[in-house]
């Protein structure tokens, strides 16, 4: 088990980050969590990255969380985060990545800086499963389209976090770690990128 929580945008103001994390710990019945992320950058950057990440680092120092990181951070936000707490403190940037949104600019920057990426919504909430190319590759390996999408992400070194409420889906998703896609498979999936973002609320940052 690896437990992650995130701090919502309402709780990024001065003195709010640690109480928000304590509340999450209480609700989870834990004294310490594995990873705490800033869920989104402050809308319109009203609150500086250095302010809330500094507080999150203090939470780590107090032993409330083993690691800290960010989510939905753009390259510009990552640069600010690196300046604020140092790249070695940023365990991950959790962002939307799947075959229809491959996020190449951000991925290149994160790799260059050595920041680990977590691919959220790796099935684009089901959209990826309907792609004929994914279905063809799945049939050729005798696996499901979801397993192909997850293997594609895993093979690029991302932490991959599909959600599933059905037991069979959970088991199939775990088994995707055993699937090895060929270079031809990977190249065919690369061509599916069309910048199709699913999680894009009004307060989202200006994406790369
Ligand atoms: N940081 C952020 O801002 C952010 C934003 C969005 C999401 N996330 C995180 O990303 C994770 C996943 O996101 P998500 O749930 O929105 O999207 P997702 O994982 O892309 O899609 C989940 C959907 O796919 C189905 N599914 C899962 N495994 C399957 C399989 N093997 N075969 C067929 N269908 C399958 C699920 O159905 P069943 O439930 O019926 O199994 C569910 O309908 C969550 O942990 C979420 O917290 C983070």
């Amino acid at each position: 088990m690896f437990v992650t929580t995130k701090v919502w945008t309402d709780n990024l103001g001065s003195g709010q980050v640690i109480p928000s994390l304590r509340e999450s710990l209480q609700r989870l019945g834990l004294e310490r969590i594995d990873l705490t992320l800033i869920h989104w950058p402050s809308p319109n950057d009203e609150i500086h990255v250095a302010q809330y990440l500094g507080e999150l680092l203090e939470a780590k120092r107090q032993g409330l969380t083993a690691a800290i990181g960010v989510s939905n951070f753009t390259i510009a936000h990552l640069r600010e985060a690196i300046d604020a707490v140092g790249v070695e403190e940023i365990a991950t940037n959790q962002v939307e990545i799947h075959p229809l949104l491959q996020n190449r600019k951000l991925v290149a920057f994160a790799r260059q800086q050595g920041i680990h990426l977590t691919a959220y919504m790796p099935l684009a909430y089901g959209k990826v499963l309907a792609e004929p190319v994914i279905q063809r590759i799945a049939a050729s390996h005798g696996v499901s389209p979801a397993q192909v999408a997850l293997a594609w992400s895993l093979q690029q070194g991302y932490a991959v976090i599909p959600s599933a409420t059905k037991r069979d889906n959970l088991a199939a998703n775990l088994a995707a770690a055993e699937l090895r896609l060929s270079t031809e498979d990977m190249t065919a999936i690369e061509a599916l990128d069309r910048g199709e973002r699913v999680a894009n609320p009004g307060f989202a940052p200006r994406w790369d």
Side-chain angles (χ1 to χ4, degrees), residues 39 71-72 94 120-121 123-125 161 163 165-166 169 173:
H39 201 152
S71 177
N72 296 302
Q94 185 187 111
Y120 79 60
M121 241 185 220
L123 308 175
Y125 214 80
I161 53 164
S163 82
T165 54
K166 297 196 177 70
N169 285 348
N173 294 350

Side-chain angles (χ1 to χ4, degrees), residues 1-133:
M1 292 279 284
F2 186 94
V3 185
T4 303
T5 193
K6 312 190 202 90
V7 179
W8 188 245
T9 54
D10 290 345
N11 298 318
L12 299 179
S14 177
Q16 286 182 276
V17 174
I18 292 178
S20 158
L21 174 55
R22 283 192 191 281
E23 201 184 315
S24 297
L25 287 173
Q26 199 175 15
R27 279 198 248 126
L28 287 163
L30 295 172
E31 285 179 4
R32 175 186 167 94
I33 199 147
D34 296 309
L35 174 64
T36 305
L37 306 177
I38 298 296
H39 201 152
W40 291 85
S42 173
N44 301 315
D45 294 313
E46 266 171 30
I47 304 164
H48 292 300
V49 171
Q51 161 76 44
Y52 51 78
L53 264 190
E55 289 195 18
L56 192 55
L57 182 58
E58 176 54 27
K60 181 182 168 190
R61 292 195 174 123
Q62 290 181 16
L64 300 173
T65 181
I68 64 170
V70 295
S71 177
N72 296 302
F73 267 38
T74 62
I75 293 173
H77 288 109
L78 283 179
R79 286 190 200 282
E80 285 184 52
I82 292 166
D83 285 348
V85 294
V87 73
E88 66 288 348
E89 289 293 354
I90 306 166
T92 193
N93 184 19
Q94 185 187 111
V95 288
E96 183 176 339
I97 299 180
H98 46 71
L100 310 179
L101 174 72
Q102 302 189 15
N103 239 323
R104 293 206 183 104
K105 267 172 95 173
L106 179 71
V107 167
F109 179 78
R111 285 199 172 131
Q112 178 207 333
Q113 298 293 325
I115 295 175
H116 188 57
L117 289 165
T118 301
Y120 79 60
M121 241 185 220
L123 308 175
Y125 214 80
K127 273 191 188 175
V128 167
L129 313 182
E131 281 300 313
V133 170

